[in-house]
Each structure stands twice: as structure tokens, then as C-alpha cells.
Amino acid sequence: MHWELSDEQDLFVASLREWLQERADSSVVRGWLEAGDHTHFERLFVEEGWASVGFDESFGGQGGGVLELALTARELGRAAAPSAGWLQSAIVVPALADDPDLLNAAVESGEVTALAVRADRVPAATSVERSGDRLRGRIPCVLGAERARRLLVPATDGSTTDLWLVDSAAEGVGIRSRALLDRSREVADITFDDVAACRLNVDANAVLEEMASRAAILVAADTLGAAERMLQLAVDYSKQRQQFGQPIGAFQAVKHTAAQMLVTVESSMSIVFYAAQSVEESLAERATHAAVAKAQVTGHAAELADSALTLHGAVGYTWEHDLHLFYKRAKLNEVLFGAPAAWNERIAKALPLIPVPA
């Protein structure tokens, strides 16, 4: 199946890609990553309106839905641009749908509410202890926590799971940043020492499931963008590098590798966009579609990254070459919000058991 975008969606993609090429080319991105400061790009992204696409107009957004968010994530991945804050804002929409002021703050000023779960696990309830409306405990490796204005904490009390909103500047909240190999995103460890929290009046388990699906799709879409760039870089390099008097792209083994990379990119595109539309339309199997996108796209793109590195040879390992930006992006995305094995487990549990014929 080949997914076709509408003319309006194609125009949005072309416009955002052009804007990113002007404001976030690889040399500029390197400067942000070397300085460890993503605020300039995040501010531009919000101020010039790109961060509001995919958010409902009632929240101050420009309209669209999960598919438009996936298109945005894809372009951010193609540019290796900082995205932790935007990604968190897109994930937590189901939890904050009844509080338009918080979503409006995210869209109009970039004020982030971060889902406080381990960034290397499928989003789920944490082990934070609750006593009344106060929280105590520790959550490691929370994506984008260092610059989040609020934290959305899923906590379990016995058999009951609730979602709690915490001001990150509140007394008793500790945030310690951690460095990642992929410098375009960041994580931090969070501690709660008898911190006041506000419980959200939502079905926490259902909302967590919706947020997990969004996380899966948007990370897969980001991976798709990174994979497209790695394919482009590999093909361009294979046309330039000479060996035995001819471009290495003329060799059959290189052609086969590039062809397999193209198959990965094309199939990933259809998987991601179908899963995004499935979630947008609330189809019955949307959680399974999202799990397929996360497991298949990020897993195969990590393999594609290794192939791209092999085709580049020694130059691919250097800081001066752009490949490492997307290689690291794809490798982090493979485990971000759960490795493929964890999402494959969810797929297996969702599929009906068919007895083997005698």
C-alpha cells in the first residue's frame, strides 16, 4: 500500500522542509548540539507557528490532527532538529483535552507539560508513591523534563491508576539532567519529595493508552525522516566515491544495499501515515497499528542506519560528516518509549489466537 497525501498536506510538508533548510541546516544544528542549547530553535518553531500545526483550533492551534503531527515529526527527524519539548506537547494532548488553557500555553508560548515516564519504556504508570494529593519517589530518564513547566505523572495506588499534574518548580521537585549520545534530545531524572499534585479527572488507563499510541507514531515518524536523509546521504556518497576507477554506486552489492534501504523507507512511510490516521479516526485497532509502526519502523531504520554507515566507510564515523546526526537519531528512536520487542509483545497480545489445523 502506498499512502498518498492531500495537496494541502504536501504543501505543508514542502513549506516546513524549506523553512527547516533555511533555519536549521546541518551546520546550524551542529552549533546548537555543541552548545547544548536548544532554546533558540524551540522558540523559533513556536513563534513562527509551526508548533501549532496538528493541534485543534480550540487549543489555539492551526487545526489538523495526528497525521499532521506525524508529518511535522518526520520533517524534524529529516533535519535532526531538537524536538523533545514539541514531542511531549503532542503526546499529552489526550490528558489535557479538558484543560484548554494548558494546551493553549504549549501551542502559543511553547510551555511544555512533559509525561513523566521512563523514556526507554512503553508509557505506563510509574512506581511513585502517593499519600493523599502528595507524591514521593523517583522517575529516571524523563524526556524533555529539564525545561518542562509541568509534569504529568501517572501513579498507581493499589489497583487504581491516576494522572497527577505537578508544577516542576514546586518545592520538593528535583530534576537532574543526563547527557545522551544523540544531543538533539535530552532526558532528566526526576525526584519527588512530598510534592503537592493535582489529580486530573480522566480515565487514566484509557488516556495512557492513547498517549502511548501517540508516542509510538510520532517517534516512528521522526525515524522515517532520519531514514530518508540517511538514504539520500548514502546514495549521494555512492555516486561520488571512486574505487577501481568507477563510482562505488556502480557495484552490484552497493545497488542491492541501497535498494533495500529504499524499500525500508517506502514501507515505513505507509505504515506511519496509516497508523496516524487510524489514531485520528479512533479505529478499533488503532493501538495495534501504532505498535506496528513503532516496532517495524524504528527496528528496520536502525538496521538501515548501519547499512548507511557501511556504505560511507570511515568518513561516516567522523563528526564533520552529517551522517552521524541521523545515525544517532535513529538509534535513540529505536528504544525511545519502548524497544521493538516491547511493542511486538503488545501486538502479540492484541492478535487473536488461531488454532493450528490438525
Side-chain angles (χ1 to χ4, degrees):
M1 179 184 71
H2 179 71
W3 188 275
E4 293 287 345
L5 299 176
S6 69
D7 291 342
E8 186 177 12
Q9 289 165 341
D10 277 329
L11 178 60
F12 166 66
V13 169
S15 300
L16 177 54
R17 187 171 300 178
E18 181 180 358
W19 182 84
L20 286 168
Q21 288 170 350
E22 293 176 355
R23 300 299 186 95
D25 68 17
S26 60
S27 62
V28 175
V29 169
R30 287 171 191 279
W32 295 333
L33 303 190
E34 289 173 344
D37 184 6
H38 304 163
T39 55
H40 178 71
F41 173 76
E42 292 172 341
R43 185 170 60 251
L44 276 178
F45 197 63
V46 171
E47 290 176 351
E48 301 200 14
W50 299 108
S52 62
V53 175
F55 291 85
D56 194 88
E57 294 177 5
S58 62
F59 305 142
Q62 295 188 38
V66 181
L67 180 52
E68 283 70 27
L69 292 173
L71 293 174
T72 302
R74 173 195 178 192
E75 295 309 310
L76 291 170
R78 279 182 63 92
S83 63
W86 174 86
L87 179 59
Q88 281 282 22
S89 295
I91 290 172
V92 301
V93 168
L96 305 181
D98 293 333
D99 197 336
D101 289 340
L102 291 182
L103 288 175
N104 187 271
V107 169
E108 294 191 351
S109 64
E111 189 175 283
V112 176
T113 298
L115 178 61
V117 296
R118 285 190 59 146
D120 61 343
R121 305 280 177 84
V122 177
T126 65
S127 58
V128 171
E129 297 177 2
R130 181 176 68 82
S131 178
D133 61 354
R134 307 190 77 84
L135 304 180
R136 181 183 295 274
R138 176 177 178 272
I139 309 173
C141 301
V142 176
L143 182 72
E146 190 172 12
R147 288 194 295 277
R149 178 67 179 81
R150 297 174 187 83
L151 301 167
L152 181 63
V153 186
T156 300
D157 182 15
S159 60
T160 303
T161 299
D162 291 310
L163 289 173
W164 297 82
L165 206 58
V166 176
D167 189 324
S168 61
E171 183 179 355
V173 177
I175 299 178
R176 184 176 68 85
S177 63
R178 284 195 184 194
L180 293 173
L181 187 61
D182 171 23
R183 301 184 193 178
S184 67
R185 274 81 60 89
E186 71 282 338
V187 296
D189 297 339
I190 302 174
T191 55
F192 300 107
D193 186 7
D194 196 31
V195 175
C198 176
R199 187 177 69 85
L200 298 183
N201 187 25
V202 297
D203 182 340
N205 290 318
V207 168
L208 264 174
E209 189 68 24
E210 292 297 323
M211 290 192 290
S213 292
R214 280 178 167 247
I217 290 166
L218 297 181
V219 172
D222 187 284
T223 306
L224 168 62
E228 288 178 308
R229 282 299 300 276
M230 287 188 287
L231 172 60
Q232 178 188 353
L233 289 169
V235 170
D236 290 346
Y237 185 71
S238 70
K239 294 176 180 178
Q240 298 168 5
R241 185 184 174 192
Q242 298 279 327
Q243 197 171 66
F244 304 114
Q246 59 182 322
I248 63 170
F251 300 138
Q252 198 72 12
V254 174
K255 290 180 180 179
H256 285 168
T257 300
Q260 184 56 57
M261 292 169 70
L262 178 61
V263 169
T264 296
V265 167
E266 291 293 326
S267 61
S268 294
M269 191 178 303
S270 295
I271 292 170
V272 167
F273 294 162
Y274 182 81
Q277 193 63 28
S278 177
V279 169
E280 181 63 26
E281 296 180 6
S282 299
L283 300 185
E285 296 183 334
R286 61 189 180 278
T288 302
H289 298 155
V292 170
K294 181 64 173 72
Q296 296 299 310
V297 174
T298 63
H300 289 306
E303 296 170 357
L304 180 151
D306 290 332
S307 296
L309 187 63
T310 300
L311 288 182
H312 277 81
V315 72
Y317 288 89
T318 63
W319 174 259
E320 291 74 19
H321 199 281
D322 286 348
L323 180 65
H324 75 93
L325 298 173
F326 308 101
Y327 183 93
K328 294 172 184 175
R329 188 98 172 189
K331 290 297 185 178
L332 176 60
N333 282 348
E334 185 181 18
V335 298
L336 186 59
F337 292 122
W343 289 96
N344 280 328
E345 282 293 327
R346 291 168 69 92
I347 296 169
K349 290 178 181 179
L351 294 177
L353 296 177
I354 301 175
V356 178

